Structures are given as C-alpha cells and as structure tokens.
Amino acid sequence: MTLAAYTPRHVPEALSGLFDIALDLRWTWHHGSDELWRAIDQEVWDATGNAWLVLNSVSGECLESLAQDPAFMALYSRQLESHREFTEAPTWYSDTHPDELGHGIAFFCMEYGLAESLPLYSGGLGVLAGDFLKASSDLGVPVTAVGLLYQQGYFRQALNAQGEQQEFYPYNDPTMLPVSPLTDSDGQWIRILLPFPGRELRLRAWRARVGRCQLLLLDSNDPRNEPGDRGITSELYGGTPEKRLQQEIVLGIGGWRLLSQLGLAPDICHINEGHSAFAFLERAVSWALTHDTDFDTARVANRASNLFTTHTSVEAGFDQFPNDLIRLYLEPWMAESHVSMKQLMKLGSSSGGHSQRVGDEGTFNMAYLGLNLCGRLNGVSAIHSEVTQAVLQPYFPRWPKSEIPAEYVTNGVHTPSWDSREADTVWTRACGKDRWRRPMESSCPMECISDEELWGMRQKQRSHLVSYLRSKLQSQHCEHVPGGNPPAMCGLLLDSETLTLGFARRFTEYKRPDLLLTDTDRLAALINDRDRPLQIVLAGKAHPRDDYGKVLIRRWREFATRPDVEGKVVFIEDYDLAVAAHLVQGVDVWLNNPRHPWEACGTSGMKVLVNGGLNLSQYDGWWAEAWTPELGWAIRPGATVEELSQNNEHDFSDANELYDLLEGSVIPEFYDVDEEARPKAWINRIRGSMNRLTARYSANRMVREYTENFYLPMVSTGSERSADEARAMVEEYRQLECDWPKLRFAGMEVEEGREVDTIKVNAFLNGVSEERIRVELVAEESDYGPREVIEMQRIHSLEGAVHGFAYQACVSKRPAGHFTPRIRVQDDRLNLPLENASILWLK
Ligand SMILES: *Cc1c(COP(=O)(O)O)cnc(C)c1O
C-alpha cells in the first residue's frame, strides 16, 4: 500500500473538492450529499453507502463527462459550498465557551460505530462513541478521537437453514474505507514505534474526518512487522488475552504517542471504558519526561484532567490480564520510562491508590488502572452509577457505597444519524433546520403538528420498513429456506398497517432475547389475532464464543418457522448500523427487556424517539429515568437497585408483565382508531415522547453535559497542578500515609438536649495536621430520617495529649447508636475519596 491511492489521480481538476467531501464522514448523517454520490455511481452508493468507494470505483472518463454536465456541476458546487459553510460556521462551543478547553479533548475507545462502511465496531459502546463524536462535531467541541483500524473488524453474520449463526470475517481493504493515511508536514506517512518484547512494533496511522472532529486510527499491518504482530489489529473482540493486551497497548500507549508526535497536547484525556487506560499511563510517563519529574508527581499532576467513563455493570466485565503477561509486554516499555514494575503492578490492583490494602495478586485490572489514574469517574445512567458504586466497593474499603464517587452522564444518541426522511420533514416544520446543531434544550412546538401529519409520518415509515425487510429477506435467500413457504419467508405476509414490534441487540443471556418466547402460544395468539395482529422484526449477533447466545437465535428461528406465525416474525441477519437505522425508523414499538441491572444504559430505544416510535422496556438504564406512564411502557416500574438481583428469579414474572402490557395496553391502544381511522391516544403518546424525550436523550445533551460538568472544570483543576504543586502534594501525602495509622479516637459522649443532642468525641491526631482532616458523624437512613453526614467542629485541644482535640456537633434526635464518628482527608484540591480513600471509623 502506498500513498498514491490518495492523490487525486483520476479526478479532474474541476472536481478536486470531491476528495474532501468524500473523506468527511459527515455524509453518514447529513444526507445533503446523497444525491451527489448517487449521481456519480448509484449502484455503489446504494449498496455500500460509502462515498469514498464511490469516488474510487468510478472511472476517470466518467468523472470527466460529469465535469462537463452543468446539472451535476451545480449539484457539486452546492455541496462544496454547504460543506464550507458548515466547516466555518460558529458553533455552540465557539459562541459559549470559546477556547476554554485549550487544546481540547483526547477521546479513546476500542471501537467506533460511525458508518456501516467503516466496520470498526461491535455494538453499543462503539455506536455511542460514534454518536459522541458526531455530536461533538455539531457542537464544535474540540475532540480528537483515537482508535484502532481493524483489518476484519467484528464478524459478519449469516444464519444457515437450521438457524445456526455463521461467522465471516471479510477483509477491510483500508484503501476502500473512508479514511486516509495520516501524513506529516513533509507528506510522509506517520508511523509510531512501540517497544515490544525482543522487537519493535511498527504502527501505521490513519485519519477519519468526522465533520469538525477527527478520529485517528492505528493499525499494525505493516509488512515489516512479524507476521503475528501484523495481526494485532485484525479482529475486534476476538483472539486470546495476549492479543487483547497487545491491542490495548497499541491503543493506549501507541495512541497517546501518536497525539504527541502530531504535536497535539490535549488538555483532557477521556477514556471510554477501561480498555484504553494505558493512555493515562503513557500520558503520565511522557509528562514526567518533559517536566523532569518522577512518575508519582506526573500521576498527581495529570490525573485531575483524566476522565474515566465506565459502561460495565459487573466486576467480570472489566478486562484483567495475568501479571506475567503484563510484565512481559510492559517491561520493554518501562525501560524507557520512569516507572518501576512494582509501581505499575500496584496501579493495576485495587490497592493502587491506598496502601492500607493488600491488592489482589495475580491479575492486572484495567478498570483499577483507570481508577488509579483518573480524576473523575462516571457511569452512563443514574442506575448505572449506583451499580458502579457497588462494583467498585472493593476499591474503597470501609467507604459506604453511596459515597463512592461514581458520577453519571446518561448516554444519548446522535439524532440526525437516526431520523428518517419523514421525521426530518416533521421536525423541520415544527422547529426549523439545523435544530440539532444547537442546544436541544427546550421542547419543540410539536403541538402544531396535526394528528394527521404525525400518523401519516408513522404510516409511511412503517411501509418503508416493510419494503426494506422484504429486500433484506431477498438477499438472505429467503426462497431457499428448506421446508419454508417462500412467500412467507420473503416477507410477503408482512403488512404495512400492522403493529410492528422491533427487537434488535446483542444476543446474550442477560439481554433476555427469549423473554418474549416464555409462552410461545400466548405470543402466537397475539401475532395471529385477526383484527389486531402483531408482527415482529428481530436482529442481533451472538459473540462467536457465546454458545448460549447462539441458542437464543436458533430458538427464534424455530419459532419464526412455526406454520402459524411464519412470515410475521422475521429475523434480519448481520445487525449493523444500517439495519438498526431502518428498524428504529419503522417500528411502532421498540422492545428492550434485559435482566436487571445489567444494562448500563441501553441506547437503541433512544433511536426510535425522533421517529415517533414508542418504548416498551425494562425499568432499567435510561428508561428508568425517562419513563412515565403517558410516554411508554415499563416492565417492573419502580424497581430499585437494592431489589435488583442478577439472577433469573424475575424472568417469569417479567415475561408475564410483558404479555399483559401487550395484551392490555399496547395492542388495544394501537388499534383503537377514531372515525378518521387514527389512534388518538397512541398519537398523543407519540407526540409526548417525541417532544419530551428526543432532546433529553440526544448525544447533543450528553456532549454538553460532558463539556460543562466535566471537561471545563477539569481543565481548570488540571491547570492548577503544576509540577511544583504536584511535587509538594506527593511529598505531603507520602507523609500522611505514614502518619495515618497513628490516628485514634476515644470517648464519644452524647448530651441530650430538648431539641437537639450534642455529640462529642476526642481525636488524637498524632502528627496528622488538623487542617488536613475532617471529623464527621454519619447516620444511615432509618425511620428517624434520611442519611446524614455532619461535620464536627474542633472545639479545643486536649489537655495532656501531645496532639489531640475535642470535636463536637449538634445532631437531630436519633438513638445515640445511630451516629458513628469518622475521620477522613480534607483537601479542596482533590476529588475525594477517589484520590485518597483514607478513612478511620470509631469502632
Ligand atoms: C444502538 C446500537 C446498539 C446498542 O444498543 P443497545 O440498546 O445498547 O443494546 C448495538 N448495535 C447497533 C448496531 C446499534 O445501532
């Protein structure tokens, strides 16, 4: 592969601007240029949705003749102009926070779902990262994303006649992907070198442009690398733990080096999931070198501007590597850095920040590495932040769960990537063009959209979906299903007036794709109801090693070929962004019924909002925040995290609730039409859901929340930690760590008063500065009131003690035993207890 493919060989001078637009993934959501690509090569555009491929497949002669065609040239000039306008227009960020983010944000993720023609994703995490980047571009937030360019990406799926999943790994020819080699100012292709055991790994660098943002990609398929190394970036989520570790080193360490080599010096490093935590490490190490400090100083100085977002709900979801593997791969890297193996191992164990604790020996945990090096931590929904608190409890010994500093930003979706043409028309009428580029704060005057128009939109979308499903079934060779009835298998029994339920996601146990199959006869009765039928469209992949997930696919396949429901339940193979987009635009109801509380957020249901689809989902993740009875349906509404169990005890009752909702509310309401043949109550739900939820669950809101609640304050905290300041902090906290075990409590007394009680306690600080600690009283929630944490005042020093003080606080009336005193660190410069979890309770 050479750079020659990227010079405008066959493109006439008059059309040279096509390169720029073809390499800007803005065409994945903007749709303004669809016509242009279709005019160049309709077949390639319709089949692949890849503008870069269109440009590369078309012949020079064809382009020459287009350059002579005034109609085409007019189209082209309009697109060029609109692209220029878009690039130069002021944005929310440039208007509201100009330059406040300094050199911007580096965003790391293992996968990116930006377009089906750039298959670098497997599911939710990647789609979220893609939507995040697109919304950052809309808002002008200066994000540079870093990822891996996989030669095969995630597997592609087909089902055989028995409903067994077949897995294919087509090769992604990088010259056919909408990315270009990243070159330096001399036009040389940028390469990154990484020290590997006994060798050097060469990485090639690529760039995908995402509107105003860019995604930088690394791959190891350099012919000069050893054969095994060339395959490091071949597959996403495949291979052995060793390969996975290699990938994470390439992503984190290689990725940060790439940013440095480009001269970018991001002020914030944001990792999306623990996979990329090595980026924090490399950041600290390179900072230590340039600022001539030791690693601990660099760690303290940097962490304030490191953000760690977790999407995991169970401990087992964190990547862990055998220590031996870490030693093998990181030793060569450490030879160039100021980190010792002992320091490194500590960072990957739960004892990392807090030496009172002996860590789990044996494995190196990427989430703990992230925690030990970040300044803020967030989950992706309110419930998920509580779940994260529980999962991370071992990291914060003796801290109450509710005080574990897991914040949250609920995920959102990039609305313009998911709306249909019909929905776009309706929204444009209600709230104008470009509405998604600015804060989508206020609700839109959807009331001005008549029932007729809204319902017309829904009818058209459903009818498009039915056509799409038929064409997909055709390409799945529907007429050849053995024993099948060809018209049914090919979707001819699908009906564009029938209530359509969609279910598409990863097929894995906790997502319970089979919940609806709990009582197959009850389900078949709904599907076959003569007056009020139901049809179902499904899609989803099971991870190649998830045998149970594959069984679930087969169960649906078996059900779908039952003679009585055949043709009314269809499974679309190879779930990807394009399939997802068609489904969320056309279905009436989106179903999501994961087992509590494993779904960190769940985003697919948000994609139907803009299109007037309704949600029927487990009360979990985002839906627990969004749901109200007028807007949609929830299974086990009001379930709290405490009563959520991770086993299957609710499966049966949840299934029953799901059937009851369908039978008692969803289906009757859909078919309850007025004299104009429109379901009034249903349309009101649509209007409410579009109006009240679309903006709130958009990536637009999400990116603004990250910016205003995290990035901006983190830039300023980060800038306060100079090398000198960080050095002094390290010094101080080393001493504190030695002195902390000498802290003692004694003699708690309660004086009962009429209104309030007074509690006193003596604390012997034995060298720990009284300015550096806080003495508190804690009462857990009980019949006497909510949880309370009350700061105690230092009232006088204790006679006869070397360094002791009496503390006191007035408290509301509760039984005396309800209050427990404790000592913790107090330091406005730190995010506590994340950065220091020292704590002493009065036993
Ligand atoms: C949105 C999306 C997902 C994530 O959906 P969940 O609700 O989080 O399961 C996965 N895959 C594709 C292709 C998507 O578009």
Side-chain angles (χ1 to χ4, degrees), residues 478-690:
C478 50
E479 63 280 54
H480 302 302
V481 176
N485 156 14
M489 290 293 127
C490 294
L492 298 182
L493 301 189
L494 293 171
D495 173 48
S496 45
E497 303 276 321
T498 293
L499 171 61
T500 308
L501 182 73
F503 182 97
R505 57 190 31 85
R506 204 146 48 85
F507 271 59
T508 189
E509 187 173 1
Y510 89 82
K511 298 251 190 190
R512 298 193 298 193
D514 57 340
L515 196 72
L516 208 47
L517 293 177
T518 306
D519 182 343
T520 43
D521 291 335
R522 195 165 169 191
L523 178 62
L526 298 180
I527 294 168
N528 288 318
D529 191 292
R530 233 192 37 203
D531 301 324
R532 306 185 309 180
L534 175 72
Q535 58 192 7
I536 304 178
V537 46
L538 300 144
K541 298 175 175 179
H543 186 278
R545 286 195 293 269
D546 183 354
D547 290 330
Y548 188 70
K550 295 180 195 178
V551 168
L552 298 177
I553 294 179
R554 222 168 42 232
R555 283 198 60 200
W556 267 109
R557 179 62 154 234
E558 276 160 23
F559 178 74
T561 44
R562 254 172 77 143
D564 57 338
V565 302
E566 192 179 44
K568 299 170 203 160
V569 176
V570 299
F571 189 98
I572 300 302
E573 296 169 2
D574 203 30
Y575 183 42
D576 70 357
L577 287 171
V579 173
H582 281 97
L583 263 46
V584 300
Q585 291 169 11
V587 301
D588 297 290
V589 175
W590 190 260
L591 174 66
N592 185 20
N593 47 239
R595 192 171 285 158
H596 268 304
W598 285 50
E599 187 86 313
C601 180
T603 55
S604 51
M606 300 175 186
K607 300 170 192 164
V608 305
L609 299 171
V610 65
N611 296 305
L614 299 175
N615 279 277
L616 160 51
S617 287
Q618 203 72 33
Y619 184 84
D620 198 359
W622 78 281
W623 193 232
E625 294 164 37
W627 173 77
T628 64
E630 324 81 76
L631 301 181
W633 300 271
I635 304 170
R636 206 147 31 100
T640 65
V641 177
E642 279 69 37
E643 66 193 58
L644 304 175
S645 52
Q646 300 185 352
N647 57 33
N648 56 5
E649 73 187 65
H650 289 288
D651 289 359
F652 191 71
S653 59
D654 283 359
N656 269 323
E657 230 180 293
L658 171 55
Y659 293 128
D660 290 346
L661 284 171
L662 286 170
E663 290 163 357
S665 177
V666 180
I667 298 176
E669 203 173 286
F670 181 87
Y671 288 107
D672 179 17
V673 295
D674 59 14
E675 57 278 14
E676 253 130 356
R678 288 193 287 266
K680 195 142 194 76
W682 189 276
I683 295 171
N684 276 335
R685 262 185 210 274
I686 292 178
R687 194 179 279 115
S689 158
M690 289 174 86

Side-chain angles (χ1 to χ4, degrees), residues 142-219:
V143 174
T144 304
V146 181
L148 299 179
L149 184 70
Y150 301 98
Q151 275 71 58
Q152 296 166 340
Y154 198 55
F155 79 94
R156 308 289 301 270
Q157 177 201 51
L159 301 191
N160 71 9
Q162 288 70 45
E164 282 159 1
Q165 175 172 289
Q166 316 287 298
E167 291 136 20
F168 303 101
Y169 293 86
Y171 174 72
N172 290 331
D173 177 351
T175 60
M176 296 297 135
L177 300 178
V179 301
S180 53
L182 196 56
T183 50
D184 61 20
S185 49
D186 296 336
Q188 293 295 311
W189 197 351
I190 290 185
R191 312 249 169 170
I192 303 294
L193 290 176
L194 281 189
F196 254 43
R199 59 198 190 265
E200 275 205 312
L201 181 71
R202 288 188 171 76
L203 299 170
R204 310 188 294 185
W206 307 83
R207 176 180 121 112
R209 188 161 163 204
V210 185
R212 293 185 185 82
C213 298
Q214 54 177 348
L215 166 61
L216 307 178
L217 296 161
L218 287 169
D219 92 304

Side-chain angles (χ1 to χ4, degrees), residues 18 48 50 98-99 196 207 212 326 378 429 448 451 550 580 655 697 722 725 785 808:
L18 279 177
T48 65
N50 180 347
D99 297 326
F196 254 43
R207 176 180 121 112
R212 293 185 185 82
I326 295 283
N378 76 288
R429 248 179 45 67
C448 71
D451 282 11
K550 295 180 195 178
Y697 295 98
S722 63
E725 175 74 14
Q808 150 181 324

Side-chain angles (χ1 to χ4, degrees), residues 745-747 749 759-765 770 775 792-799 801 803-809:
F745 270 127
E749 284 171 22
I759 298 187
K760 289 185 180 162
V761 71
N762 296 334
F764 300 93
L765 307 188
E770 59 272 24
V775 180
M792 301 186 84
Q793 302 306 319
R794 192 171 67 239
I795 44 177
H796 56 77
S797 54
L798 293 173
E799 270 173 48
H803 184 205
F805 298 93
Y807 287 83
Q808 150 181 324

Side-chain angles (χ1 to χ4, degrees), residues 407-425:
E407 307 173 67
Y408 73 92
V409 176
T410 304
N411 285 339
V413 296
H414 184 245
T415 323
S417 292
W418 300 106
D419 60 352
S420 70
R421 194 180 282 269
E422 294 76 26
D424 183 50
T425 309

